Each structure stands twice: as C-alpha cells, then as structure tokens.
Amino acid sequence: MKALVLIAHGSKRSLSNEEFVDLVNKIKNKDENFSEIEAAFLELATPSIQSVAKKFISQNIKKIYFYPYFLNSGKHVSVDLPDILNELKEEYPTIDFVLLKHFGSSDRISDIILDDISLSL
C-alpha cells in the first residue's frame, strides 16, 4: 500500500486552508493510484506533515509520497521539507518516504494559465 500527502504552506486564514483541503479532496476522488491521500501543512495550520505520516504508518502503509504544493523552489521546498523527511526516515527507517517535485516545476502550468486566460477573453 502506498499513500500520498499533499503539502501546502498553511495560512492564518482558515478559508485559504479550506481551499487547499477542498482541492485535495477533489484529487482523492479522482485518484486510482493511492490507498490513502491526505492534506498536510508545513506551518500555521493542521494537520502537520509529521502527524499525517504517522497516521499512515499506523495504518501499515510502507511507502509515502509527499507532493509540495508550492510554486517556487524556495527554502521550504529545498530545505525545510527535505529536513522533515530526513527526520521521519530516522524515526521510521523501514518506511519509504518519497519527496516529489514541487507543483511549480510542472511543465504543464504554463498551458493551464494560457487556457484559463483564453477562456476569459
């Protein structure tokens, strides 16, 4: 069994956090690859990345993918998230933790933006 954790920064504004959770639920409803999918936040909101990972581990999931829903490869993507996963790997050496490329690195974003703009013209 494998699981997916989609990670957002987190916000003091609950509406922003709710929008991300709604997106994750849409993804969960369409997905056919993962036994479990959950939202997690780096800071300012819950659940945390660590708590979602531990929940999956308690469900006997042995491989957990982490997808950073971040536009740019700043400190959170390049330092903070790898550090969190390294800590999890130390605590749970038998679990396979996989950090995927962040959202902003997708080549398809420019197409989405252009499609959205063309629909507004």
Side-chain angles (χ1 to χ4, degrees):
M1 291 191 343
K2 60 185 175 180
L4 174 64
V5 181
L6 289 106
I7 304 165
H9 183 275
S11 175
K12 292 178 184 175
R13 291 188 58 223
S14 61
L15 178 61
S16 296
N17 299 325
E18 290 166 14
E19 288 173 345
F20 178 66
V21 170
D22 288 344
L23 172 63
V24 172
N25 286 330
K26 288 177 187 174
I27 291 167
K28 190 186 302 190
N29 290 333
K30 293 179 180 182
D31 175 74
E32 297 177 359
N33 296 307
F34 296 94
S35 57
E36 296 288 335
I37 296 177
E38 295 290 336
F41 297 94
L42 182 62
E43 55 190 27
L44 304 174
T46 57
S48 70
I49 298 163
Q50 296 90 331
S51 67
V52 173
K54 290 175 184 183
K55 173 185 171 183
F56 288 159
I57 292 164
S58 74
Q59 295 172 343
N60 207 29
I61 292 173
K62 299 296 185 196
K63 189 164 192 171
I64 306 173
Y65 291 85
F66 297 84
Y67 183 80
Y69 186 67
F70 289 78
L71 282 177
N72 302 306
S73 60
K75 181 179 180 281
H76 291 320
V77 169
S78 60
V79 176
D80 297 337
L81 294 177
D83 284 351
I84 290 169
L85 264 64
N86 285 333
E87 289 172 12
L88 286 167
K89 288 175 186 179
E90 286 180 19
E91 190 172 351
Y92 302 97
T94 62
I95 305 298
D96 190 9
F97 298 101
V98 180
L99 183 59
L100 301 169
K101 290 184 178 181
H102 66 286
F103 173 72
S105 67
S106 172
D107 291 333
R108 296 187 291 163
I109 293 175
S110 58
D111 295 331
I112 294 169
I113 292 169
L114 289 171
D115 286 347
D116 284 352
I117 291 169
S118 69
L119 292 172
S120 301
L121 298 177

